Amino acid sequence: MLTNSNLSRLIATTALLIVTGLPMSSHAETAATTTPAADLSMKRPDDKSIRQFQYHATDEELADLRRRISATKWPSQELVKDDTQGVQRETMRKLAAYWSTDYDWRRVEAKLNSLPQFVTNIDGVDIHFIHVKSKNKNALPMIVTHGWPGSIIEQLKIIDPLTDPTAHGGTEADAFDVVIPSLPGYGFSGKPTELGWEPGRIARTWAELMKRLGYTKYVAQGGDWGDAVTEQMGVQAPAGLLGIHTNMPGAVPDEIQKSLDANKPAPANLSADEKRAYGQLDFFYEHGLAYAQEMTARPQTLYGVEDSPIGLASWMLDHDAKSYQLIARVFDGHEEGLTRDDVLDNVTLYWLTNTAVSSARLYWENKLAFFAPKDVKLPVAVSAFPDELYQAPESWAKQAFPNLIYYNRHEKGGHFAAWEQPEALTSDLRAAFNSLR
């Protein structure tokens, strides 16, 4: 007989198993365009052109956002003094007060529009991407993929250090060309109008994007869904892909997963690092999967977060315990790896592009076990941050990736590595891919 605890664990585990720039002259089409995100899903199967892109929210959209925040119908306060009942009301009130009065979307909009952004149609969906080329002609191309509840906002802080390393403590030999696409259904990319857009298909789309950009050799990086896509690129090993880097690897051994599924204590023979990782996974399965369960099973039901800015923000803040606690401290006035503007830049992008539900469908589409090894044979590099959903031990990484070329266990940082700890991640990427240049 299943106890309530075991039944909860079984449901949670099942949910996780089926979820968790270029110069103008080099493009076929060079006329500057401003393309609303809502118009990006038109199918043009024979059109392989690369079109310039910028985004400008209307004053009416921004005024409506502020009005909706101010008109929030607040729930009663949680009945506990911690976050065990969910995102705390006081945190959301502080977020709402700043969002509705002092927050300035135009600031990040100007930053985005200062970068080379493009759209190209691949497999019937318009794919938006940032493409910043280094001045160094020997730069290594890299495609970087965000996750949920992230976006291209996550990677903005690593663009300059990667493309202009000499201005950021590196050498010319550290230079990268950087391609940062928006996942289908996210941000400025089109919303798929047919089923089948799971990580493997996105991985094939990214390979086509790099081919379309003229790259014959490149590397790939990602965390969260970015890891799922990047590892599938590693499995598929398209021509030109030299290796991958992940900051949330699928590296949990099968025997460990079976023990977690059975809700057993950590095996006695684990090292200290492995015991800590086991504890993190055990906590996540027990307490952190609510969002994934809903989006895996019923993503279309999330009308509330599509209609309410505060509903959307609270849903996104509740991704994992450590990230939420960091963000709560930020809105209490503490200095952290993220700022209030960082957090709201990302949430506002989801709001303005109307992608709360379309992004959630990726959980429904996915059939891969998030943390299981995927049999990647290409060179793999791993950065392990302590406040990630689990900090992958080096022993597990070596077992999961037979061609592990780099591993670094960090003392600080969480789920949004590029966003929160850009210097650490940049340093890892330089070191990790040095041997593949």
Side-chain angles (χ1 to χ4, degrees):
M1 176 181 291
L2 287 173
T3 65
N4 286 341
S5 176
N6 285 338
L7 179 59
S8 175
R9 177 62 60 92
L10 179 61
I11 294 171
T13 302
T14 302
L16 187 68
L17 288 175
I18 62 173
V19 291
T20 253
L22 279 180
M24 289 179 63
S25 60
S26 67
H27 289 294
E29 184 174 322
T30 61
T33 61
T34 301
T35 311
D39 295 336
L40 291 180
S41 57
M42 295 176 60
K43 292 185 178 181
R44 291 179 296 273
D46 299 324
D47 182 3
K48 296 184 179 181
S49 65
I50 297 174
R51 293 125 36 215
Q52 290 185 316
F53 175 91
Q54 288 196 338
Y55 176 82
H56 300 276
T58 67
D59 291 341
E60 291 76 16
E61 287 173 315
L62 298 177
D64 177 64
L65 171 60
R66 289 188 291 271
R67 178 189 63 78
R68 287 171 179 261
I69 297 168
S70 299
T72 297
K73 183 177 180 180
W74 293 96
S76 58
Q77 187 165 326
E78 62 275 2
L79 303 180
V80 292
K81 295 182 187 254
D82 55 27
D83 60 9
T84 54
Q85 287 193 333
V87 176
Q88 294 155 293
R89 192 178 69 172
E90 186 61 22
T91 296
M92 294 309 301
R93 283 195 176 277
K94 291 174 181 176
L95 181 150
Y98 183 73
W99 201 6
S100 63
T101 55
D102 298 327
Y103 174 73
D104 180 16
W105 164 258
R106 297 298 185 198
R107 171 194 45 77
V108 69
E109 182 179 85
K111 169 65 176 176
L112 288 170
N113 288 336
S114 73
L115 297 169
Q117 297 181 83
F118 306 92
V119 171
T120 189
N121 188 277
I122 302 176
D123 199 11
V125 173
D126 274 354
I127 301 299
H128 162 267
F129 60 99
I130 297 170
H131 186 190
V132 182
K133 297 191 71 175
S134 174
K135 294 179 181 177
N136 188 315
K137 64 179 181 179
N138 295 317
L140 178 63
M142 177 166 57
I143 185 165
V144 184
T145 310
H146 66 83
W148 186 95
S151 67
I152 55 170
I153 299 293
E154 280 186 70
Q155 282 83 31
L156 293 182
K157 296 177 185 177
I158 64 173
I159 293 175
D160 284 347
L162 291 173
T163 58
D164 189 10
T166 58
H168 298 271
T171 68
E172 289 188 357
D174 295 319
F176 292 87
D177 286 356
V178 177
V179 179
I180 305 173
S182 297
L183 288 167
Y186 288 67
F188 302 127
S189 279
K191 300 178 177 70
T193 57
E194 63 181 11
L195 298 178
W197 280 92
E198 41 74 40
R201 184 172 180 177
I202 298 171
R204 292 187 292 273
T205 299
W206 279 194
E208 171 60 24
L209 174 60
M210 296 303 277
K211 179 181 178 182
R212 196 169 292 185
L213 292 174
Y215 290 128
T216 57
K217 293 182 179 180
Y218 62 94
V219 294
Q221 194 283 329
D224 193 88
W225 282 120
D227 166 75
V229 171
T230 300
E231 288 200 33
Q232 285 305 294
M233 294 183 75
V235 170
Q236 295 166 10
L241 181 62
L242 303 176
I244 67 171
H245 175 280
T246 171
N247 52 281
M248 199 187 83
V252 178
D254 182 60
E255 63 272 18
I256 295 296
Q257 187 62 59
K258 288 179 180 177
S259 183
L260 287 161
D261 292 347
N263 201 15
K264 294 180 178 179
N269 62 342
L270 299 185
S271 69
D273 289 350
E274 291 169 343
K275 285 180 181 177
R276 183 176 186 275
Y278 192 98
Q280 289 176 307
L281 289 164
D282 187 57
F283 178 87
F284 180 64
Y285 286 161
E286 192 72 29
H287 303 288
L289 267 174
Y291 72 93
Q293 289 171 310
E294 178 65 24
M295 292 192 290
T296 299
R298 309 286 286 178
Q300 194 66 30
T301 299
L302 297 173
Y303 293 91
V305 299
E306 194 91 51
D307 185 61
S308 164
I310 293 301
L312 174 64
S314 64
W315 185 254
M316 293 171 69
L317 261 59
D318 207 23
H319 174 269
D320 68 278
K322 291 295 186 180
S323 294
Y324 166 67
Q325 290 161 7
L326 181 152
I327 291 169
R329 294 193 298 270
V330 167
F331 282 95
D332 278 337
H334 296 272
E335 291 189 7
E336 298 278 357
L338 301 179
T339 67
R340 293 182 299 180
D341 284 341
D342 286 334
V343 174
L344 290 175
D345 289 345
N346 188 53
V347 179
T348 306
L349 178 62
Y350 272 75
W351 176 261
L352 291 172
T353 56
N354 206 40
T355 50
V357 169
S358 60
S359 63
R361 294 189 189 119
L362 182 53
Y363 285 81
W364 191 92
E365 291 280 7
N366 179 56
K367 300 299 182 289
L368 299 170
F370 226 130
F371 296 138
K374 307 299 189 301
D375 194 27
V376 180
K377 293 184 171 61
L378 288 179
V380 177
V382 172
S383 295
F385 290 89
D387 290 335
E388 181 53 274
L389 302 185
Y390 83 109
Q391 187 174 27
E394 186 172 11
S395 57
W396 292 2
K398 287 181 176 178
Q399 185 176 337
F401 306 114
N403 199 355
L404 184 71
I405 60 171
Y406 180 87
Y407 175 92
N408 192 14
R409 184 180 179 87
H410 290 272
E411 298 298 321
K412 183 177 177 61
H415 185 70
F416 302 100
W419 208 16
E420 183 200 341
Q421 299 295 326
E423 291 183 6
L425 186 64
T426 296
S427 177
D428 279 3
L429 292 173
R430 291 172 180 172
F433 289 135
N434 182 58
S435 64
L436 301 183
R437 290 179 177 274

